[in-house]
């Protein structure tokens, strides 16, 4: 029945027993009430509508780690209990509860159980109330019987809910009762008071009772807003605690907790998490950079120390000369490495790039002159238009293009030509160095621009050249990259924005 087979046996028995008892109470009261009149029909419809709407407008309250549902659904029960006969009252309550829970897409099994427990509880309340007072009595003599009757309803309803939950979840019964008793009492008292006020107003003036709708709506909206603000404060506090842990424990892997509040809070949490992801990636890059840099700097020191230790107490002149030569070579290598590291460290400084207008044709001629001896006639470049102008830092752009040309020389065998060209785009200039050195292995197009990343450890260089190129491009507000042609060659490029005054 509605998935009941998966529940413990005692929970199955309680659910089936409660449904059967509720239906029995309903049939008994309908038979005992006899024929209906117009008043019974009108009252039944009114209670159905009130109970349905009350279940639909539910407020979720966090209590003891659980979500408790607060509604005014019990207030219509007070109205029906005082103004209707038992049969129409129970039938209207059953229909209203079923419709209210169904509107919230509650599981059919839970709907059936809730309808049964409400019928049992309200049946007990009806027996108590009508044993003491008559239908339609709304004066002070009816208040104590009403409170007593609704107290019986509270006991049956509250205990049956706690019992089925503890049996299904296999937890202790009385701790669950004690934990929720305060909330249930407050809920019960508010509904009894509200229902009694509505009945008194109705008996005085039918239209006056409708005035309750306005304060009820305002109270509902205000309380829901209060709950939302309270939840948002809790979520902000959770984010503050998470941020403090990131700060105190230096744990960049932590993230802000997910939120179910307003879009603003959700957006804030997502933005902070993206920021933490970038910070974590930056920390990893920094640690990797320091590790690689220390390794690269340690190598020339180790080589120089090794040669000096081999000299002995009375070295021969030729041994001294060889050791000095190696030391000078390694010191030059260390100097170049330190210079490259300094350049990379400055790449994020605002003054790293000092842009200005550069005559493009003359700029390419100067680049070609600098690498003429290195390339030994292998360079091919297309002269730019006489009036073409680039807006950038000539010194830094020269450094970037020389690095790209040097990279092409190292990775291109034989006498194959190397091309240099400047391509004008809609909003940028793109400098390309094209080689036919066989291209790159697939998947390394972005990795090679990371510091100390080298495809072949036997090739000369520190692994910083392309990283410097990327830093210079980004310092201009542009980009650097490679168009790979595996097996054929590669086109390394640096792209910088055009003159903003154009």
């Amino acid at each position: 029945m509605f998935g009941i087979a998966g529940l413990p046996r005692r929970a199955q028995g309680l659910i089936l027993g409660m449904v059967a008892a509720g239906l029995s109470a309903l049939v008994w009261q309908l038979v005992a009430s006899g024929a209906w009149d117009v008043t019974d029909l009108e009252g039944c419809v009114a209670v159905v509508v009130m109970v349905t709407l009350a279940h639909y407008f539910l407020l979720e309250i966090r209590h003891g780690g659980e979500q408790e549902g607060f509604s005014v659904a019990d207030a219509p029960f007070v109205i029906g209990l005082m103004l209707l006969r038992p049969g129409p009252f129970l039938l209207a309550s059953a229909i209203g509860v079923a419709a209210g829970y169904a509107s919230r897409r509650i599981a059919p099994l839970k709907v059936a159980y809730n309808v049964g427990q409400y019928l049992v509880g309200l049946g007990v309340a009806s027996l108590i109330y009508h044993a003491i007072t008559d239908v339609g009595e709304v004066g002070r003599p009816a208040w104590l019987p009403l409170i007593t009757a609704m107290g019986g309803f509270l006991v049956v309803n509250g205990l049956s809910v706690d019992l089925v939950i503890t049996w299904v979840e296999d937890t202790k019964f009385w701790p669950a009762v004690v934990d929720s008793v305060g909330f249930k009492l407050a809920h019960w008292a508010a509904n009894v008071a509200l229902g009694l006020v509505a009945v008194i107003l109705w008996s005085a003036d039918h239209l006056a009772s409708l005035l309750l709708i306005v304060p009820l709506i305002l109270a509902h909206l205000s309380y829901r807003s209060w709950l939302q603000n309270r939840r948002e404060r809790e979520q902000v506090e959770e984010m503050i605690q998470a941020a403090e842990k990131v700060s105190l424990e230096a744990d960049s892997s932590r993230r802000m907790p997910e939120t179910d509040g307003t879009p603003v809070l959700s957006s804030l949490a997502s933005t902070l998490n993206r920021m933490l992801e970038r910070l974590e990636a930056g920390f990893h890059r920094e640690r990797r950079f320091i590790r690689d840099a220390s390794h690269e700097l340690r190598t020339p020191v180790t080589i120089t120390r090794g040669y000096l230790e081999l000299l002995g107490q009375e070295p021969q002149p030729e041994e001294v000369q060889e050791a000095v030569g190696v030391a000078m070579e390694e010191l030059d290598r260390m100097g170049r490495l330190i210079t490259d590291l300094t350049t990379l460290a400055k790449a994020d400084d605002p003054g790293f790039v000092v842009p200005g207008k550069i005559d493009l044709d003359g700029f390419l001629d100067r680049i070609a002159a600098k690498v003429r001896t290195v390339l030994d006639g292998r360079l091919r470049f297309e002269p730019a238009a006489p009036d073409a102008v680039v807006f950038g830092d000539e010194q830094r752009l020269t450094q970037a293009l020389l690095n790209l040309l040097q990279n092409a020389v190292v990775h291109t065998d034989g006498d194959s030509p190397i091309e240099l060209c400047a391509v004008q785009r809609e909003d940028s200039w793109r400098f390309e160095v094209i080689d036919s050195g066989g291209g790159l292995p697939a998947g390394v197009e972005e990795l090679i621009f990371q510091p100390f990343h080298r495809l072949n450890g036997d090739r000369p260089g520190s692994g910083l050249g392309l990283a410097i190129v990327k830093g210079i491009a980004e310092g201009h507000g542009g980009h650097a990259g490679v168009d790979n042609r595996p097996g054929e060659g590669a086109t390394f490029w640096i792209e910088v924005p055009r003159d903003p005054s154009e």
Side-chain angles (χ1 to χ4, degrees):
M1 174 184 174
F2 309 123
I4 196 174
L7 300 177
R9 287 186 177 273
R10 57 181 181 176
Q12 295 179 15
L14 176 62
I15 292 172
L16 294 175
M18 190 63 70
V19 172
L23 292 177
S24 299
L26 175 61
V27 172
W28 172 45
Q29 291 289 3
L30 284 175
V31 172
S33 297
W36 288 28
D37 55 21
V38 176
T39 302
D40 292 328
L41 182 60
E42 291 176 347
C44 181
V45 172
V47 171
V48 168
V49 172
M50 287 188 291
V51 173
T52 302
L53 292 176
H55 275 91
Y56 183 77
F57 292 103
L58 183 70
L59 292 174
E60 297 289 343
I61 302 174
R62 295 185 67 185
H63 173 71
E66 300 290 338
Q67 288 290 116
E68 298 276 8
F70 182 90
S71 72
V72 294
D74 292 358
F77 296 151
V78 173
I79 298 172
L81 181 64
M82 298 183 75
L83 299 180
L84 292 180
R85 293 190 300 155
F89 166 57
L90 289 183
L91 180 61
S93 300
I95 296 174
V97 170
Y101 277 105
S103 68
R104 292 164 45 208
R105 299 182 180 180
I106 303 297
L109 176 62
K110 187 174 181 180
V111 173
Y113 179 74
N114 284 332
V115 170
Q117 73 174 13
Y118 271 109
L119 285 174
V120 172
L122 293 174
V124 170
S126 180
L127 287 176
I128 295 173
Y129 183 78
H130 293 295
I132 304 174
T133 188
D134 298 327
V135 174
E137 176 61 50
V138 297
R140 291 181 182 179
W143 293 6
L144 183 58
L146 172 68
I147 294 173
T148 305
M150 291 304 294
F153 166 74
L154 172 65
V155 172
V156 173
N157 186 51
L159 293 181
S160 62
V161 169
D162 291 334
L163 192 61
V164 74
I165 291 177
T166 54
W167 282 3
V168 168
E169 298 181 354
D170 195 22
T171 56
K172 294 183 178 180
F173 172 67
W174 287 112
V177 173
V178 173
D179 183 60
S180 61
V181 66
F183 175 84
K184 289 176 180 176
L185 282 173
H187 189 186
W188 170 84
N191 276 277
V192 171
L194 179 62
L196 185 56
V197 169
V199 170
I200 293 173
L201 285 176
W202 176 265
S203 62
D205 188 333
H206 291 357
L207 291 178
S209 63
L210 298 178
L211 296 176
L212 276 177
I213 296 175
V214 176
L216 280 177
I217 292 176
L218 292 177
H220 175 83
L221 295 177
S222 299
Y223 195 61
R224 188 169 69 175
S225 177
W226 177 80
L227 289 177
Q228 180 68 25
N229 291 335
R230 178 183 173 185
R231 179 59 184 148
E232 288 177 0
R233 285 197 303 271
E234 292 175 352
Q235 292 174 339
V236 169
E237 290 174 358
E238 291 172 0
M239 285 191 274
I240 291 173
Q241 292 173 0
E244 287 180 348
K245 289 181 179 179
V246 171
S247 175
L248 296 176
E249 300 175 8
D251 184 5
S252 59
S253 64
R254 283 188 178 274
R255 297 293 180 266
M256 296 294 108
E258 296 295 329
T259 65
D260 56 0
T262 62
V264 174
L265 267 185
S266 300
S267 177
L268 175 61
S270 299
T271 301
L272 290 175
N273 283 334
R274 288 195 298 270
M275 179 190 71
L276 288 173
E277 289 173 1
R278 289 195 295 270
L279 287 175
E280 183 181 17
F283 293 151
H284 288 316
R285 285 196 303 271
E286 180 180 347
R287 285 193 288 266
R288 186 171 60 248
F289 180 83
I290 293 173
R291 183 187 66 240
D292 294 342
S294 63
H295 173 75
E296 292 292 335
L297 289 171
R298 190 184 301 115
T299 301
V301 173
T302 303
I303 294 174
T304 301
R305 183 182 181 89
Y307 267 88
L308 293 176
E309 289 176 346
L310 290 175
L311 288 178
Q313 296 295 328
E314 297 180 358
Q316 298 297 318
E318 59 272 12
E319 292 177 339
V320 174
Q321 185 177 2
E322 181 183 3
V324 170
V326 171
M328 292 298 295
E329 182 179 337
E330 292 302 318
L331 288 173
D332 288 341
R333 175 184 170 190
M334 186 183 296
R336 290 192 299 272
L337 181 59
I338 291 174
T339 300
D340 288 344
L341 287 173
T342 303
T343 302
L344 269 182
K346 292 180 178 179
D348 293 330
D349 293 345
F352 178 65
V353 170
V354 183
K357 290 187 176 182
I358 306 171
D359 172 56
L360 185 56
D361 190 35
F363 174 65
L364 294 179
D365 285 338
R366 290 188 290 275
I367 295 291
K370 291 178 183 292
V371 298
R372 184 172 290 115
T373 56
V374 178
L375 294 180
D376 193 20
R378 296 167 59 191
L379 180 65
R380 305 286 186 272
F381 78 95
E382 300 178 7
D387 57 346
V389 174
V390 174
F391 190 74
D393 187 322
E394 181 171 353
Q395 179 182 353
R396 295 301 184 189
L397 290 177
T398 299
Q399 184 180 10
L401 291 178
L402 290 179
N403 281 353
L404 292 181
L405 289 167
Q406 179 63 30
N407 181 72
V409 171
V410 171
H411 294 90
T412 304
D413 298 325
D415 298 328
S416 57
I418 297 174
E419 300 180 33
L420 170 65
C421 63
V423 180
Q424 183 176 358
R425 298 199 162 201
E426 182 178 354
D427 55 358
S428 64
W429 279 99
R430 177 163 162 163
F431 297 94
E432 298 180 346
V433 174
I434 307 168
D435 66 58
S436 54
L440 306 169
V444 302
E445 290 83 359
E446 294 185 5
L447 292 176
I448 58 175
F449 287 91
Q450 298 298 322
F452 301 108
H453 187 90
R454 287 182 287 186
L455 296 178
N456 190 339
D458 297 332
R459 300 294 180 99
S462 64
L464 294 175
L466 292 179
I468 291 174
V469 170
K470 181 181 178 182
I472 291 173
E474 292 177 350
H476 281 82
H479 308 280
V482 59
D483 297 331
N484 189 23
R485 305 185 303 280
E488 299 180 10
T491 300
F492 286 83
W493 50 266
I494 175 173
E495 190 169 313
V496 298
R498 293 179 62 179
D499 187 349
S501 64
E502 293 183 11

